[in-house]
C-alpha cells in the first residue's frame, strides 16, 4: 500500500500487448468514446486510490493517538508501547518485497484490494483484546452508592480482613496532488477520532456508566481506544470494494504530445513506448533481474550525494517519529491536559501546519524555479530554523506537581530524598498503607497524596460521584492555615502559569511543524535529481525501506525506554510485576523528550551541510568540465568550420587549380 501513487496510476494505465497499426477511420471515429471510457475508469481508480490512502493514514494517525490509552488499559510501560508502535512498520516490511515484485505482473487493482482487506482485518484485530479481557479496573473507593456514605480510609486499609480498596466490577500531477492531499488529511481525522474516543469510557456499552466514578480529567481514565480501530478497520474494508470492479489495465490513449520529445519529468512518470509492444513471453527473467540487482545497488551507494542525503533523512525521521509518537503523552504529563484535548490540538493544529508547510515548499520550488543547489539550501535552512525554534520549548515547561513523598516532603518542602520509604511519614504510620496503590487525593494545602490512606484521612463523605475526605493528618501538618485537613479525589492542578505555558507551547509547536515540513518537497526533489534516471525507482525504494527500518521501527522504542527512566511512581499489576508509570518527573521528561529530538535533529543538520558541500563540489567540477568541454568544442568547431570551408571550396564544380592566379 506504500507504492508511489504515480507508479500505481502509471501501471494501471498500461495496456496489454498492442500491435502497432496505422490509424483507420474506425479507430478515429471511436477514439472519443474510448477516451471517455478510459477517463471515467481512471477517475474511479484515482478516487478509490485516494480513499485507500485516507484509510491507511487514518489508521496510522489513530494509532499514535491511542498510545497513552493502551498504556493505561493494559498497564504496560512506554518502552513496550514503542514496540507496539514500531510493529506497524514491521508488518509493512513483511509484504513490501512481494508487492514490489509481483505488483506490476498481476492484476494491480485486485492486489490493492487484497491489501485493503488485509489492512482492514489487521486493524479490526487490534481492537479484539477489549472483547476477550476483563473489564477495566481502576483504583477507587466504593462507587456503587449514590447516597451519602461515611467511611474511614485509614482504618479500612489497616484491617487485614477487608480489601484495601473496592474496585469497579461491572462488565498524473493533478492526480498525484489529489492522492497525497488525501493522505495528509487522514492523520487529521485519525487524531480527531482519537480525541472523540478518549472522551468515551473504555467499557462503554458493557457497564452501567452511572457506576463510573472517574472523569476524563482523572489520571486513571481510559477512553474507548478500541472503538476507533473498529471504525478504521471498516473504512479499510470499504476501500477494497471498488478495486474488484476495475479492469487490469486501461488502453493508453496516444495524443499529439506523445509524439513530441518529452521532458525529464514526463519520462520519469511514463514508461517507454516500446514497453507497450513487448510480448509477454519476452519479459526479463528472475535470474537476469537478480544479476542486475547488486551492480545497481553498488552504483547507487557509490553516489556520495545520495548516501549522505539518505543518512540525513534517516536521522531526521528518527527525530520526527519519536517526537510525534510521544507528543500526546508529553502534553498530558507536562501540561496536565487530558488525552482528548491532547489529540484534538494535534489533529486540528499541528498536522494542518505540516500539510501547509509541504504545500508551501512545493509552491516555492515551482514559482522561483529553484535549482538542485537551491533546493539543498532550502532543505538545510528549514531544518536549522525549525530546530532552533524547537530549542525554545525547553523554557516552556511546567514544574512538577507537589506530590507528598515523591516531589515534596510531607511538610511541603523541596527537594525530597528518594528512597523506598519516602511515601511514609509519622502522620500516616499507624494506617499501614500500601505503597503500591495510586489513588491520588488532592489536599486543601495544594499537595497531592498517593492515596487517602497515605494522606492520613480518617473519614470520608460521598454524595453522588463527589468524594471528600476529612481529618487528614498529613494534610493538616503541611497546611498553611490551621484546620485545613480535608482532601478530594484526584490530582491537584498544576500551578496557575501552566495554562499560559501550554498556549505558548502550541504556538511554537505549530510554527516549528510548518518550518520543518517546508523542506519536505525540496528534499524530495534533491533526492530525485541526484541520481541517474534509470535508478530513480530503485533509489526511492531503498530510501523508503531505510526510513522504515532505521527510523520507523527503532525510534518509538528507544524514545519509550528513555522516557521510562523519568518515572517517579510505577504501578504494579496483580501478579506483582511492574505496570505503567503513574507519575513522571516533569523536568526529566522534558529534557529527555526535547533533548533527544534536538540532538538527532542537530546530527541531521550536519549531514545536510555535508550534502550541500558535496553538491557544491560536484556542481563546480561539472561546471569546470563543462567549460573545458565547451572551449574544446568551440576550437574543434572552428577547425571543422575552416576545414568544411576549404572542403566546400574544393568541391565547387567551377573550381580548378590555379583559378585564383589566372583571374
Amino acid at each position: 500500500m506504500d507504492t508511489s501513487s504515480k507508479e500505481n496510476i502509471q501501471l494501471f494505465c498500461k495496456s496489454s500487448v498492442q500491435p502497432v497499426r496505422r490509424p483507420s477511420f474506425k479507430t478515429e471515429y471511436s477514439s472519443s468514446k474510448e477516451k471517455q471510457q478510459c477517463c471515467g475508469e481512471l477517475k474511479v481508480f484515482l478516487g478509490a486510490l485516494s480513499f485507500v490512502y485516507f484509510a491507511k493514514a487514518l489508521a496510522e494517525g489513530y494509532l499514535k493517538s491511542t498510545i497513552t490509552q493502551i498504556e493505561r488499559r493494559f498497564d504496560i510501560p512506554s518502552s513496550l508501547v514503542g514496540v507496539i508502535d514500531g510493529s506497524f512498520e514491521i508488518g509493512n516490511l513483511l509484504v513490501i518485497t512481494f508487492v514490489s515484485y509481483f505488483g506490476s505482473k498481476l492484476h494491480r487493482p485486485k492486489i490493492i484490494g487484497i491489501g485493503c482487506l488485509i489492512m482492514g482485518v489487521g486493524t479490526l484485530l487490534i481492537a479484539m483484546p477489549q472483547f476477550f479481557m476483563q473489564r477495566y479496573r481502576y483504583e477507587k473507593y466504593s462507587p456503587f452508592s449514590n447516597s451519602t456514605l461515611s467511611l474511614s480510609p485509614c482504618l479500612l486499609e489497616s484491617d487485614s480482613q477487608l480489601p484495601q480498596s473496592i474496585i469497579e466490577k461491572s462488565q498524473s500531477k493533478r492526480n498525484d496532488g489529489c492522492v497525497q492531499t488525501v493522505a495528509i488529511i487522514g492523520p487529521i481525522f485519525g487524531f480527531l477520532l482519537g480525541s472523540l474516543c478518549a472522551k468515551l469510557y473504555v467499557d462503554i456499552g458493557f457497564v452501567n456508566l452511572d457506576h463510573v466514578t472517574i472523569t476524563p480529567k482523572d489520571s486513571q481514565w481510559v477512553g474507548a481506544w478500541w472503538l476507533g480501530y473498529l471504525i478504521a478497520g471498516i473504512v479499510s474494508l470499504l476501500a477494497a470494494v471498488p478495486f474488484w470492479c476495475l479492469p487490469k489495465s486501461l488502453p493508453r490513449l496516444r495524443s499529439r504530445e506523445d509524439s513530441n520529445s518529452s521532458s525529464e519529468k514526463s519520462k520519469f512518470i511514463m514508461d517507454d513506448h516500446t514497453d507497450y509492444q513487448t510480448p509477454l513471453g519476452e519479459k526479463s527473467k528472475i535470474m537476469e533481474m537478480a544479476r542486475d540487482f547488486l551492480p545497481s545497488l553498488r552504483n547507487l551507494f557509490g553516489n556520495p550525494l545520495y548516501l549522505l542525503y539518505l543518512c540525513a533523512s534517516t536521522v531526521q525521521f528518527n527525530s520526527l517519529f519519536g517526537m510525534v509518537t510521544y507528543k500526546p503523552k508529553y502534553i498530558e504529563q507536562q501540561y496536565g491536559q487530558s488525552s482528548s484535548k491532547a489529540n484534538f490540538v494535534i489533529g486540528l493544529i499541528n498536522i494542518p501546519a505540516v500539510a501547509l508547510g509541504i504545500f508551501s515548499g512545493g509552491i516555492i520550488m515551482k514559482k522561483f524555479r529553484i535549482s538542485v543547489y537551491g533546493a539543498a539550501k532550502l532543505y538545510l535552512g528549514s531544518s536549522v530554523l525549525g530546530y532552533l525554534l524547537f530549542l525554545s520549548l525547553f523554557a516552556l515547561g511546567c514544574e512538577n506537581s507537589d506530590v507528598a513523598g515523591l516531589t515534596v516532603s510531607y511538610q511541603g518542602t523541596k527537594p525530597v530524598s528518594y528512597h523506598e520509604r519516602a511515601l511514609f511519614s509519622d502522620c500516616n504510620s499507624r494506617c499501614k498503607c500500601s505503597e503500591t496503590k495510586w489513588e491520588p487525593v488532592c489536599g486543601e494545602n495544594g499537595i497531592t497524596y498517593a492515596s487517602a490512606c497515605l494522606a492520613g484521612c480518617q473519614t470520608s463523605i460521598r454524595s453522588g460521584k463527589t468524594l471528600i475526605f476529612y481529618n487528614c493528618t498529613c494534610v493538616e501538618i503541611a497546611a498553611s492555615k490551621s484546620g485545613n485537613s480535608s482532601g478530594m479525589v484526584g490530582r491537584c492542578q498544576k500551578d496557575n502559569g501552566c495554562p499560559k505555558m501550554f498556549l505558548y507551547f502550541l504556538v511554537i509547536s505549530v510554527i516549528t511543524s510548518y518550518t520543518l515540513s517546508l523542506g519536505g518537497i525540496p528534499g524530495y526533489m534533491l533526492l530525485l535529481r541526484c541520481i541517474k534516471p534509470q535508478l530513480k525507482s530503485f533509489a526511492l525504494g531503498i530510501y523508503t525501506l531505510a526510513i522504515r527500518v532505521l527510523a520507523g521501527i527503532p525510534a518509538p522504542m528507544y524514545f519509550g525506554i528513555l522516557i521510562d527512566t523519568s518515572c517517579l511512581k510505577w504501578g504494579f499489576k496483580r501478579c506483582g510485576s511492574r505496570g505503567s508509570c503513574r507519575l513522571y518527573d516533569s523536568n526529566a521528561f522534558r529534557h529527555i523528550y526535547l533533548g533527544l529530538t534536538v540532538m538527532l535533529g542537530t546530527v541531521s543538520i550536519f549531514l545536510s551541510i555535508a550534502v550541500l558541500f558535496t553538491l557544491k563540489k560536484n556542481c563546480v567540477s561539472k561546471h569546470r568540465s563543462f567549460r573545458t568541454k565547451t572551449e574544446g568544442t568551440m576550437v574543434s568547431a572552428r577547425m571543422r568550420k575552416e576545414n568544411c570551408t576549404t572542403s566546400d571550396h574544393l568541391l565547387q564544380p567551377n573550381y580548378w587549380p590555379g583559378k585564383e592566379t589566372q583571374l
Side-chain angles (χ1 to χ4, degrees):
M1 302 309 303
D2 294 301
T3 311
S4 170
S5 59
K6 291 181 179 178
E7 186 181 355
N8 286 328
I9 297 167
Q10 164 196 344
L11 292 175
F12 177 65
C13 289
K14 278 187 179 181
S15 61
S16 53
V17 181
Q18 293 182 359
V20 181
R21 298 188 182 99
R22 292 184 178 181
S24 62
F25 175 76
K26 185 176 181 180
T27 55
E28 290 178 358
Y29 180 78
S30 60
S31 62
S32 177
K33 185 176 180 180
E34 291 178 356
K35 184 176 182 180
Q36 291 179 358
Q37 182 181 2
C38 177
C39 291
E41 291 180 339
L42 182 60
K43 288 180 180 178
V44 172
F45 177 76
L46 287 174
L49 187 64
S50 300
F51 193 51
V52 170
Y53 271 67
F54 171 80
K56 181 176 181 297
L58 174 69
E60 289 179 339
Y62 186 77
L63 176 65
K64 301 291 185 185
S65 71
T66 57
I67 291 295
T68 56
Q69 305 293 312
I70 294 175
E71 184 177 328
R72 291 176 190 164
R73 175 62 180 90
F74 301 102
D75 214 8
I76 54 178
S78 297
S79 56
L80 185 54
V81 173
V83 175
I84 296 174
D85 184 81
S87 64
F88 190 89
E89 300 295 346
I90 297 176
N92 283 326
L93 295 177
L94 294 176
V95 297
I96 192 171
T97 305
F98 175 84
V99 173
S100 299
Y101 182 75
F102 291 101
S104 59
K105 295 174 171 55
L106 302 176
H107 197 297
R108 191 173 187 83
K110 288 187 178 180
I111 291 293
I112 299 176
I114 292 173
C116 291
L117 292 177
I118 296 174
M119 183 172 66
V121 172
T123 307
L124 292 175
L125 287 176
I126 299 177
M128 289 301 103
Q130 172 66 21
F131 303 96
F132 297 107
M133 296 185 66
Q134 295 180 347
R135 300 297 132 228
Y136 173 57
R137 295 182 176 183
Y138 54 91
E139 298 173 344
K140 282 294 174 186
Y141 293 95
S142 177
F144 47 78
S145 175
N146 289 325
S147 60
T148 301
L149 175 69
S150 178
L151 55 87
S152 175
C154 179
L155 296 178
L156 174 66
E157 295 193 353
S158 64
D159 190 351
S160 59
Q161 296 180 355
L162 294 176
Q164 293 182 346
S165 64
I166 303 176
I167 306 173
E168 175 69 50
K169 295 183 180 180
S170 305
Q171 302 281 327
S172 203
K173 181 180 178 181
R174 183 180 300 176
N175 299 333
D176 183 67
C178 176
V179 174
Q180 299 299 331
T181 301
V182 174
I184 294 174
I185 294 175
I188 297 177
F189 281 87
F191 275 97
L192 293 181
L193 180 62
S195 175
L196 177 62
C197 293
K199 292 182 179 179
L200 306 175
Y201 184 63
V202 59
D203 292 325
I204 184 173
F206 299 95
V207 298
N208 187 350
L209 298 182
D210 293 334
H211 295 166
V212 178
T213 60
I214 56 176
T215 65
K217 294 183 179 180
D218 196 287
S219 60
Q220 299 184 77
W221 175 269
V222 175
W225 60 272
W226 51 273
L227 184 59
Y229 287 110
L230 294 181
I231 297 174
I234 293 174
V235 171
S236 298
L237 293 177
L238 292 176
V241 174
F243 291 100
W244 298 97
C245 306
L246 291 171
K248 182 177 181 180
S249 60
L250 290 177
R252 185 177 182 274
L253 299 176
R254 300 182 64 88
S255 60
R256 293 181 179 179
E257 288 83 0
D258 293 338
S259 59
N260 299 331
S261 58
S262 58
S263 62
E264 180 186 356
K265 181 179 178 181
S266 61
K267 286 179 181 177
F268 174 70
I269 298 176
M270 303 302 297
D271 282 348
D272 239 350
H273 299 323
T274 56
D275 292 345
Y276 298 96
Q277 302 165 15
T278 302
L280 295 175
E282 297 180 6
K283 291 188 176 180
S284 301
K285 304 297 181 182
I286 298 180
M287 293 303 298
E288 295 177 1
M289 296 173 62
R291 281 196 297 267
D292 188 54
F293 178 80
L294 289 178
S296 299
L297 189 65
R298 193 182 305 112
N299 194 340
L300 197 61
F301 284 103
N303 185 343
L305 197 59
Y306 175 79
L307 191 60
L308 285 171
Y309 178 77
L310 182 64
C311 294
S313 298
T314 302
V315 175
Q316 187 178 43
F317 274 106
N318 269 272
S319 171
L320 298 179
F321 284 158
M323 178 190 68
V324 172
T325 300
Y326 294 99
K327 194 165 192 175
K329 186 182 186 70
Y330 179 78
I331 292 176
E332 292 178 43
Q333 296 294 330
Q334 190 67 214
Y335 302 103
Q337 303 296 324
S338 64
S339 298
S340 176
K341 189 172 183 179
N343 292 326
F344 182 79
V345 296
I346 293 175
L348 199 64
I349 300 177
N350 274 92
I351 297 180
V354 173
L356 183 61
I358 294 174
F359 182 77
S360 301
I363 292 295
I364 293 173
M365 289 289 295
K366 181 178 180 181
K367 184 175 181 61
F368 297 99
R369 298 181 179 180
I370 297 179
S371 63
V372 182
Y373 187 66
K377 291 195 291 186
L378 184 58
Y379 175 75
L380 175 62
S382 67
S383 298
V384 172
L385 182 58
Y387 285 108
L388 283 177
L389 289 170
F390 202 85
L391 282 173
S392 62
L393 297 180
F394 279 96
L396 300 179
C398 295
E399 293 297 324
N400 284 315
S401 299
D402 292 340
V403 182
L406 295 175
T407 60
V408 296
S409 66
Y410 274 86
Q411 289 73 30
T413 59
K414 299 180 182 180
V416 64
S417 57
Y418 298 98
H419 54 84
E420 292 183 2
R421 305 291 298 177
L423 285 173
F424 299 98
S425 178
D426 294 336
C427 60
N428 57 29
S429 58
R430 69 181 183 86
C431 295
K432 298 181 181 179
C433 306
S434 171
E435 62 178 331
T436 62
K437 282 189 171 296
W438 180 250
E439 304 168 355
V441 172
C442 178
E444 281 196 42
N445 53 9
I447 297 177
T448 300
Y449 298 86
S451 66
C453 179
L454 288 171
C457 299
Q458 305 297 318
T459 59
S460 66
I461 298 177
R462 178 172 172 269
S463 177
K465 292 186 178 182
T466 303
L467 185 61
I468 303 176
F469 300 95
Y470 294 98
N471 300 326
C472 304
T473 56
C474 295
V475 176
E476 186 175 0
I477 63 172
S480 57
K481 298 180 181 179
S482 60
N484 291 339
S485 59
S486 63
M488 295 184 64
V489 173
R491 290 169 57 178
C492 297
Q493 294 295 323
K494 294 208 172 189
D495 58 273
N496 295 331
C498 200
K500 185 182 294 185
M501 287 293 183
F502 178 57
L503 181 61
Y504 294 153
F505 168 82
L506 289 181
V507 174
I508 299 298
S509 179
V510 168
I511 299 175
T512 302
S513 300
Y514 174 82
T515 306
L516 288 174
S517 59
L518 195 65
I521 295 298
Y524 189 75
M525 296 307 297
L526 174 64
L527 172 66
L528 291 179
R529 294 181 185 178
C530 72
I531 52 182
K532 297 178 180 179
Q534 63 269 25
L535 293 177
K536 283 183 179 179
S537 298
F538 186 50
L540 288 174
I542 295 296
Y543 176 81
T544 304
L545 187 66
I547 295 299
R548 291 189 179 281
V549 174
L550 302 178
I553 296 176
M557 296 182 185
Y558 63 76
F559 261 81
I561 292 172
L562 292 175
I563 286 174
D564 280 343
T565 61
S566 64
C567 183
L568 294 177
K569 171 65 176 174
W570 286 100
F572 289 89
K573 301 179 182 179
R574 295 195 170 198
C575 60
S577 61
R578 194 174 73 175
S580 61
C581 184
R582 308 302 193 194
L583 180 69
Y584 288 92
D585 184 344
S586 295
N587 294 323
F589 192 169
R590 181 171 69 254
H591 288 98
I592 290 173
Y593 174 76
L594 300 180
L596 192 56
T597 303
V598 172
M599 182 185 70
L600 292 170
T602 304
V603 175
S604 70
I605 287 174
F606 281 109
L607 290 171
S608 300
I609 294 174
V611 169
L612 190 65
F613 277 106
T614 303
L615 183 61
K616 184 177 181 180
K617 182 179 179 181
N618 289 347
C619 289
V620 170
S621 61
K622 287 182 179 180
H623 181 66
R624 291 177 179 175
S625 176
F626 177 76
R627 287 186 59 184
T628 305
K629 185 177 180 180
T630 303
E631 292 175 356
T633 303
M634 292 177 63
V635 172
S636 60
R638 191 183 304 114
M639 293 177 63
R640 284 199 303 269
K641 184 177 181 181
E642 294 176 355
N643 293 336
C644 288
T645 303
T646 306
S647 177
D648 291 342
H649 187 59
L650 292 174
L651 291 175
Q652 291 179 1
N654 296 327
Y655 180 82
W656 64 89
K659 180 178 180 181
E660 291 84 359
T661 307
Q662 290 184 2
L663 292 173

